[in-house]
Amino acid sequence: MRLSRDGGKSYPQKHERDLTGALPSFPAAVRIFGKDGTCAAIFLDFDSSVAGVDLVTAEVRAVTSWLGRCGARWIEDYSPNGGRHVYIPLQERVTFSQARDLVEALGTRYQSLDKTPHQNLLHGCMRVPGSPHKRGGHQELAMSLNIAYDVARRPNTPGVWTAMNAELAGEISAVRAVRLEQPLTALPALDEGSQQVLQGTGRMSRTMLQLAVTGLYDANRYPTDSEARQAVLAGAAAAGLAVTDVQRRMFQGHWPGLASFYARYPSRHRTKALKEDWANAVTYVQKTRTSRDGKNNARKNPTSQPFTQAGGSPGSAVSSTSDAEHRFIRTWRNALRIQEARYQDSRNGLARRMILRALGEAAHMTGSRFVEFGVRSIAVATGLDHTTVATHLRALRSEPESLVTRVECGRGTKGDQYMLTIPEDVKPAAEDLSWSKGKIHALRPVFRELGMPAAFAYEALEHSSVPLRSVDLIRASGLSRTALSEALEVLAAWNLISRDKGLAWSIVAATSLKDLAERFGVLDAVAGQLKKYHQDRIIWKEWLTKRAHTVPELLSPADDYPWETFEGPPDDWTLSDMAFAPAS
C-alpha cells in the first residue's frame, strides 16, 4: 500500500509500505499489481469529474449488468464526490498485459471509466472501502459487509475470466490494433549500443530498463511479450549482469514488467524458463560481439587507464600538488561541518547545504579547490532547477564568512569559477578536527525520490562508525526532530536503515541505493535533465558562433538572446558521472 501524508491528494512511491493487519494512520491506497507483475483483481474506477454523477451511475449499472451476464461476482463502493469503484476478484492471478487489455476494452464502452490505474504497472493504485477521501468522508461499500466479504472469500473462477474476455473479444482486438499502429512514444529512441556498458557495471539502456520496469513496449518492434522479454535479457547480458542479478530484480519487485512476461508459466516452471531464455540471450550477445570485433575501435586492453579530469600524464595523477589540494578540500569539509549550523532546517537551508556538497564533490573530482562546473551541472548533482541553483549560489557567496568565493564570472562557454575558501575564524577549528571518512556526496539519485532530509540522515549514519540514537542524529544531520523522524521512517520502510534493541540506527549495507533508484525510475529523470541541458548548450553555442566573427571578446549576450528561456551561459562540463556513479 501507499500512504498519503497530504490528506489523500497524492500517494508517492517513497511512502510505500507492506500491507499489515492494523489500520494505517494515514489515507492509503493499495497497489493493483504485485511484484510479479500480476494482479488478483480487476479495479474499475468510474470518475465523476468526467461527465457528472449521473453518467457514473448509469455506466456502473450497465457494467454490473454485463458482469452478471458473464456470471461474475463483484464488490462495489462509492466516493464522497460521486465516483464509484467496482472490484472483480479473481481466483487465478492475471498478467499486466491481460488486465490492461480488458480494462482498455471496457474503456471503449464506458466514457467515465478511468483506465490509467491498469496502464501503469509500477504506480497503479486504488483507494479501497474504508479509506479516507481527500474531500472528506470515506470510501463506503455500496453493499453489505457480509456480501462483500463473501465475494472476496470466493473470487471468480477462470471460467468467468474467459467469458469476460470472450464478450470483449472485438474491443480487445481493437485496442491491440491501435497499440500496433501507434509506436510507444514514452520509450525514447536512443542508440542502445552506445548506452550499454559492457564491462560489468550493470548499466542497461534506458529503453530496456524502462521495458523491464513497466512492461510497456513498442508493438511494432516486439510483436509479442516473448520477444520483448528476450530483448530485456539480451540487454542485461550485454550490460554485464548475471542471471541471478536479473532473478533478484524480478523477485524483489524492481522489474515487475519483466516478471509479468513470465506470469503465464506455472510458478514452478518460471525459473527454468528464465534460465533457458538467459542462455539464448548470452549466445546472441556473444555472436553479436564476435561479428563486430573487426569493426570495434574501442580500447581492448581493460587494464589501460584514461587520463583523469585533473589532467596530467599517465603515472603522474598523484602528485604533491594534488595531495595538497585534496588535504585542503578535506579541511574545507570540516569547515562545512562547523558552518552548517547556520542553515536552518528549511527548504532553502537544505538546498544550500546540498549545493556546497556538490561543489566539494566536484573539487575532489578535479583535484582542485577551483571549481568551474556551471549551474546546470550542479543542478544535475543536486536535483534542483538550474535557476534555483543560481539563486542559492548568489546567496552563498554573499554570506559573511562564506565557504565559496567567485573568482571569475562566466564567459563564452565557460561557467562561473568558484574557489572553496575556509573563513579565518573557522580555520583553526577546522584544522584541529579529524578528517571525515568516506566520500562527500551531493544528492544521490535515489534521494530525489526519498527527499533531502532522508539524504542527510543517511549520510550522518554512513559517516558514523557506531549506530546512532535519534537524539544524536539530530545533532549529526542538522535536521529538526520532526524532519528527522519522517526521514528515518522513510529510510526504514525501504530497508536502508535498521534499529537495534537499544533503539540506535545503523545502515543496512545489503540494500543498494542504485537498485532503489532504478526501481523508482529516478535515473530516467536524471537522464531527461541532462538531455534538456544538452539542448540548451547547443542553442547557446549556436548563438555564440553567429557572433564569434563580429565580437572580439564574448561578453554578456545582447537583448536578442531568449533570456526568458535560458538563464546564464550553459557550461561545457557535466556531472553525469557523479549522478550515475554507483554508491560506495
Side-chain angles (χ1 to χ4, degrees), residues 557-583:
D559 294 335
D560 60 339
Y561 183 74
W563 283 104
E564 69 279 1
T565 307
F566 309 110
E567 289 195 12
D571 50 284
D572 267 351
W573 291 33
T574 69
L575 295 183
S576 56
D577 290 336
M578 179 188 300
F580 286 105

Side-chain angles (χ1 to χ4, degrees), residues 354-373:
M354 195 57 70
I355 289 172
L356 288 171
R357 278 165 169 72
L359 292 173
E361 185 170 9
H364 272 306
M365 290 173 63
T366 58
S368 171
R369 72 188 73 183
F370 295 94
V371 178
E372 202 176 52
F373 286 63

